[in-house]
Amino acid sequence: MPWQTPTIDSRPVAVLGAGVLGRRIACSWVAGGYNVTIRDPSAEQRQAAIHYIDNNLAEFSKILDKTTTGPGKYAAFEDLDSAVKNAWFVLEAVPEKLDLKTSTFGILAMKAPKDCIFGSNSSSYKSSLMLDNMDEEAKKRALNVHYTMPPSNRVVELMTSTYTHDEIFPFLVEKHRDIGLLPAVARKESTGFIINRLWAAVKRETLNILAEGVSDPEEIDTLWIEMFGRDKAGPCAMMDAVGLDTVAFIEDHYIQERHLDGTNTVDFLRNNYINEGRLGAKAGNGGFYSPGSTTKSEEGKQDFHDDLATPTLYILDIGLGENITHDFQHAGRILVTSGDGQNARPLITGLEAPDGIDISISDDRIFWTNMGIPSQNNGSVQSARIDGSEIQTVIAKGSVHTPKQISIDHSNKKLYFSDREGLRVHRANFDGSEHEILIETGDFRNTSDKEDQTKWCVGITVDPKNGRFYWTQKGFSKSGKGRILRSNIVMPPGATASTRSDIETVFENLPEPIDLEIDTESKTIYWTDRGEYPLGNTLNRGYVGDQQNGKAYEVLSRHLHEAIGLRLDKVNKQIYFTDMGGTVYRTDADGKNKTAIYNSDSTFTGITLAHLN
Ligand SMILES: *[C@@H]1O[C@H](CO)[C@@H](O)[C@H](O)[C@H]1NC(C)=O
Ligand SMILES: *[C@@H]1O[C@H](CO)[C@@H](O)[C@H](O)[C@H]1NC(C)=O
Ligand SMILES: *[C@@H]1O[C@H](CO)[C@@H](O)[C@H](O)[C@H]1NC(C)=O
Ligand SMILES: *[C@@H]1O[C@H](CO)[C@@H](O)[C@H](O)[C@H]1NC(C)=O
Ligand SMILES: *[C@@H]1O[C@H](CO)[C@@H](O)[C@H](O)[C@H]1NC(C)=O
Ligand SMILES: *[C@@H]1O[C@H](CO)[C@@H](O)[C@H](O)[C@H]1NC(C)=O
């Protein structure tokens, strides 16, 4: 039967697998004006993929030069039928296991329309190995379609399964050019296509040079960049970005097929890096480079692959900036930006003096506190889906006075939040049930208590591993009477929030501590301080383990303009923090390399982050 070009009309491209590359493939087609369906069994992956497209579509359209096309629509599905039933092109991007790919192709042949083209994104298996469950006619519509990393790397390699209709190639080449990608067709079947073979050789020889002790990663990359490209990363930085475990996994295929010796490649990687948990940029222990290296390329510019380990930031704008309106009580916003401060966009607007924010990707929920008007006792806690829809009240007005920082205990699915003029620390479930008071430093109805700022609870962080939570009591403005305290997650038997005896002061006589977060691994607390210069308006850290060493702490960064929000990026070992002057900063964990990644005429309060790329 001759090949019949599928009619596209309003039919979607279907992408099976919402992982790192699946969501970039989907976003490329959406930017190119095509409708896209995504299928993934994991709800978390589906949400993250849709959120990724929401956040990055404008950037894809710009890079792929598709700003005038107008994007297509996109949706994610749990079941395969809904995703593929009307598709003209299905791309499988499921995990790299041959039996899974073979069964997926078999099911696709039955469920997808009879003119649909089937692409496999496998980099290590030829599509001819996946066709066992397909009938003869469907086999002719299957091929390898391997994307590299759109939008910054636009290469797409197409390769026959040996059965594939010849006419499919010019058709798909045109479609990929149409969306701004750079397609190339391998002239015959070959494990690794064209550029992947070349890249495999570069990686292999790089590993040989390292294993033999001839050079080091930094030098190799410096030389590479001088030789081959000033705006790209060198091979060691790129292997770190891809993941050293993935590099080894791919090389295993070549070793098998070509009977290569793996001593200086996969064995070297496994013995020196992978077995020690040094998997590259993604895992928090670094690889050839230390953690965070890929988020700080020149001028904060993200190179291709680098954004894989960069967090997405959620920043609260309290609404007292340049564009202050008569209705400043409802001018608060949640902004979303990439980790380099690019592509900021408002996610939710109209908030009543928002102050603290945190996020649970697995529950598809973002939580924030609204101070309301502090004198009116009308603060609240709200939540929404991570795309900003379905706003719900978690803690109603009147049940919390002036809520400030909020922190999630992810292992027990609890919200902790401090209540400034309410003189309390609260805890509740994600839906607001089981609302408890954990700490009560005074009676907020009593004016002399309420005006005593040494009783004001502001920052909060939870350490479920060691069964504790920490909070700040800031003291009068710039008075040097601030404290950081801690208590047990489990209330002592018979005690109440105002009588419990398990409260410890961890640091005292601080200028004016505000938000805080614990790094449980290093038993270190990080906090912002809004007090007087030079010790105030700083970023600080102090050890809170057993040998607390005279309660000394370190000032990591100075000269902020009313410092407030703070979050640790534990993957990249970096700190993000905000000030009310409208700047978001990033530093290394030791406070070095301070960069203002986002500046605006707004007034920022809380910040949180998620690794979504
Ligand atoms: C996308 O789907 C909508 C219906 O949801 C349809 O109206 C539109 O034509 C489709 N667009 C494309 C480019 O297929
Ligand atoms: C597509 O190919 C890449 C590179 O081989 C692989 O890492 C990825 O898991 C595949 N699928 C998806 C959904 O990204
Ligand atoms: C708080 O109270 C003030 C004054 O009553 C009112 O204008 C404002 O809308 C209230 N805000 C909230 C969050 O209820
Ligand atoms: C208010 O609190 C202060 C100090 O905690 C106490 O001395 C005073 O009696 C209280 N006033 C009332 C009206 O309860
Ligand atoms: C800062 O970052 C650079 C690389 O961007 C790194 O080489 C250096 O060690 C970091 N620390 C300091 C103190 O400069
Ligand atoms: C203020 O409004 C102007 C005009 O709408 C806009 O360009 C600017 O970005 C706004 N500034 C802030 C901080 O939102």
Side-chain angles (χ1 to χ4, degrees), residues 35-53:
N35 288 343
V36 173
T37 55
I38 300 171
R39 190 268 173 163
D40 200 290
S42 150
E44 186 168 345
Q45 287 292 317
R46 290 196 300 276
Q47 281 142 21
I50 293 295
H51 195 55
Y52 178 85
I53 300 175

Side-chain angles (χ1 to χ4, degrees), residues 9-65:
D9 294 333
S10 62
R11 292 167 66 187
V13 171
V15 179
L16 311 186
V20 168
L21 209 64
R23 63 190 65 168
R24 285 169 175 75
I25 296 170
C27 197
S28 305
W29 284 99
V30 174
Y34 288 84
N35 288 343
V36 173
T37 55
I38 300 171
R39 190 268 173 163
D40 200 290
S42 150
E44 186 168 345
Q45 287 292 317
R46 290 196 300 276
Q47 281 142 21
I50 293 295
H51 195 55
Y52 178 85
I53 300 175
D54 291 343
N55 286 340
N56 292 283
L57 182 54
E59 183 76 357
F60 272 62
S61 302
K62 202 163 70 189
I63 297 176
L64 299 176
D65 199 13

Side-chain angles (χ1 to χ4, degrees), residues 17 21-22 93 121 123 146:
L21 209 64
N121 175 52
S123 56
H146 184 268

Side-chain angles (χ1 to χ4, degrees), residues 504-543:
E504 274 177 85
T505 300
V506 195
F507 294 103
E508 58 195 344
N509 300 324
L510 303 175
E512 194 185 345
I514 306 292
D515 281 4
L516 75 172
E517 185 168 352
I518 188 163
D519 175 29
T520 41
E521 208 174 303
S522 63
K523 301 196 169 88
T524 303
I525 289 263
Y526 291 79
W527 70 92
T528 52
D529 188 294
R530 199 193 283 172
E532 196 53 79
Y533 297 119
L535 290 180
N537 266 309
T538 48
L539 172 72
N540 305 271
R541 75 172 170 194
Y543 181 70

Side-chain angles (χ1 to χ4, degrees), residues 443 446-449 455:
D443 177 1
N446 173 326
T447 310
S448 81
D449 274 7
K455 298 184 191 299

